[in-house]
Amino acid sequence: MGRSNKPTPLSPSTTGPQPSVHSEQGRVVARLPTGDSVEILLYGATVISWKSNGKENLWVSKAAKLDGSKPVRGGVPIVFPCFGPPPKNHATSSLPQHGFARSSHWEYLGSSSSESGSLARGGDDSIKLDFGLSHAQLSEDAKKQWPYAFGLVYSVTLGGKERTLQTMLRVSNQGKESWEFQMLLHSYFGVDDITRCQINGLGSSTYIDKVLDASQHTQSTPSIAITGEVDRVYTSIKQDTTSIVENGKPRLDIQRDRLVDSVVWNPWIEKAKGMSDFEPKDGYKNMVCVEVGAVDGWQRLEPGETWEGGQIVRSHL
Ligand SMILES: O=P(O)(O)OC[C@H]1O[C@H](O)[C@H](O)[C@@H](O)[C@@H]1O
């Protein structure tokens, strides 16, 4: 394993095309010999592009702010340490919706490539990029709003053979008192036509319907069709994978790793109109958010403890 934070080809001992990483102007781009690539903005450690087979898997609004003035509308923003508007009378109650991770400036910690990264192995190279955020890096506002000693390491791994993107968040308590958090990887996936998509793998799970009345329901059908605004928080999901199927063919498999909750969100016509950074306005037809996380109640970390969870997404493009 080689680590570097300079633009460099990885696995220098291998011959032929090699994975490469390039870091400049607040972005890190990694590319595999296959041409598959991933791009991460240090602002929020937001994955803003993941291409496989020359096609983009993620949806990013044309009006998304990429200058650090607002969380990115699209890609994979990180929700931490609270999901949604924080509850009153909780340690997170002064924080903005979805917390501070998506609007903080993260540090690029470096890259590593897998030892098996030779073309002789059939293009199963992978590149892992690590990003870090701790209390000291927060804005003065966020420091006051959530005064806990924490460490986050976010690892983004682009896998060649299976066309995967793995995003894992490691949370550690570096202080002397315990604290609680929620987390969510708010992935905006791109589709050609949402009306031809189905979301599979949530059957029999219970969910809170935030569009209706925040009431609890059970998913009675194995597939969900998106035909209007959807904002559902599925909890304690038994299946480990949620799939997006388009035109009857698998498009993306989203596998939860040490997580059991997922949000399914599409703003549809009216909500999209109400978001200034959502463009084009009919972009809701080309996206769906399937957001893996730990949002049912709170995860509690004692001093010195570490927690990890994330996703492995496989593209069928
Ligand atoms: O507009 P944002 O703060 O990025 O939130 C976008 C959406 O995130 C999640 O999916 C929530 O369940 C939605 O209720 C929310 O509207």
Side-chain angles (χ1 to χ4, degrees):
M1 305 283 274
R3 286 190 80 86
S4 156
N5 56 10
K6 293 210 173 93
T8 177
L10 301 176
S11 309
S13 59
T14 44
T15 54
Q18 291 165 25
S20 68
V21 179
H22 193 73
S23 154
E24 65 176 355
Q25 294 182 338
R27 292 175 190 215
V28 182
V29 181
R31 201 174 303 280
L32 294 175
T34 56
D36 290 4
S37 64
V38 65
E39 181 169 354
I40 297 103
L41 205 62
L42 292 186
Y43 179 71
T46 315
V47 179
I48 52 170
S49 168
W50 167 37
K51 286 186 186 152
S52 35
N53 227 353
K55 281 188 80 179
E56 180 60 60
N57 291 298
L58 302 176
W59 182 86
V60 177
S61 163
K62 300 236 175 317
K65 300 281 182 214
L66 303 179
D67 60 357
S69 59
K70 193 177 180 174
V72 178
R73 177 68 62 202
V76 188
I78 302 170
V79 168
F80 176 91
C82 58
F83 164 63
K88 291 196 177 87
N89 305 319
H90 188 265
T92 56
S93 60
S94 309
L95 288 171
Q97 155 132 321
H98 295 340
F100 52 71
R102 63 178 184 164
S103 54
S104 295
H105 291 273
W106 291 58
E107 183 187 359
Y108 174 42
L109 302 175
S111 62
S112 53
S113 60
S114 65
E115 287 297 332
S116 60
S118 94
L119 291 179
R121 292 280 305 256
D124 60 347
D125 306 80
S126 65
I127 308 176
K128 179 157 87 72
L129 307 168
D130 291 326
F131 302 87
L133 183 71
S134 64
H135 184 260
Q137 291 159 255
L138 296 185
S139 67
E140 291 309 312
D141 278 352
K143 276 183 187 160
K144 281 187 216 127
Q145 289 162 344
W146 204 70
Y148 299 104
F150 72 95
L152 298 182
V153 175
Y154 186 51
S155 299
V156 177
T157 306
L158 178 65
K161 196 175 179 197
E162 298 278 328
R163 299 201 185 287
T164 52
L165 184 75
Q166 180 176 29
T167 59
M168 296 294 297
L169 188 69
R170 200 163 72 233
V171 183
S172 46
N173 183 343
Q174 302 172 342
K176 292 193 168 55
E177 56 186 324
S178 62
W179 39 262
E180 295 181 323
F181 69 94
Q182 297 172 319
M183 64 74 70
L184 187 84
L185 302 176
H186 197 309
S187 310
Y188 291 70
F189 294 110
V191 296
D192 291 332
D193 180 353
I194 191 67
T195 65
R196 304 184 76 85
C197 291
Q198 287 170 319
I199 315 295
N200 293 344
L202 295 168
S204 307
S205 298
T206 52
Y207 63 91
I208 302 290
D209 195 323
K210 289 168 76 176
V211 174
L212 285 179
D213 47 3
S215 52
Q216 192 164 332
H217 303 260
T218 300
Q219 181 63 48
S220 54
T221 54
S223 278
I224 306 164
I226 310 240
T227 54
E229 184 188 354
V230 177
D231 191 355
R232 296 180 179 181
V233 184
Y234 288 85
T235 55
S236 305
I237 304 164
K238 288 177 195 72
Q239 304 90 323
D240 67 0
T241 301
T242 304
S243 298
I244 302 174
V245 171
E246 182 155 25
N247 289 316
K249 292 191 204 127
R251 175 73 185 78
L252 290 151
D253 296 326
I254 302 132
Q255 187 183 340
R256 280 171 291 278
D257 190 346
R258 284 162 267 187
L259 298 173
V260 290
D261 305 331
S262 282
V263 176
V264 177
W265 182 62
N266 183 299
W268 213 250
I269 301 167
E270 291 308 318
K271 281 270 163 68
K273 273 190 205 159
M275 287 183 273
S276 60
D277 59 352
F278 195 103
E279 290 287 350
K281 286 300 168 207
D282 65 357
Y284 69 89
K285 293 177 183 165
N286 303 116
M287 54 74 66
V288 61
C289 288
V290 177
E291 314 159 25
V292 304
V295 295
D296 186 21
W298 298 85
Q299 305 296 316
R300 190 174 188 83
L301 270 189
E302 300 298 329
E305 280 186 347
T306 294
W307 174 101
E308 192 170 19
Q311 63 183 350
I312 303 172
V313 188
R314 180 168 175 230
S315 170
H316 291 274
L317 279 178

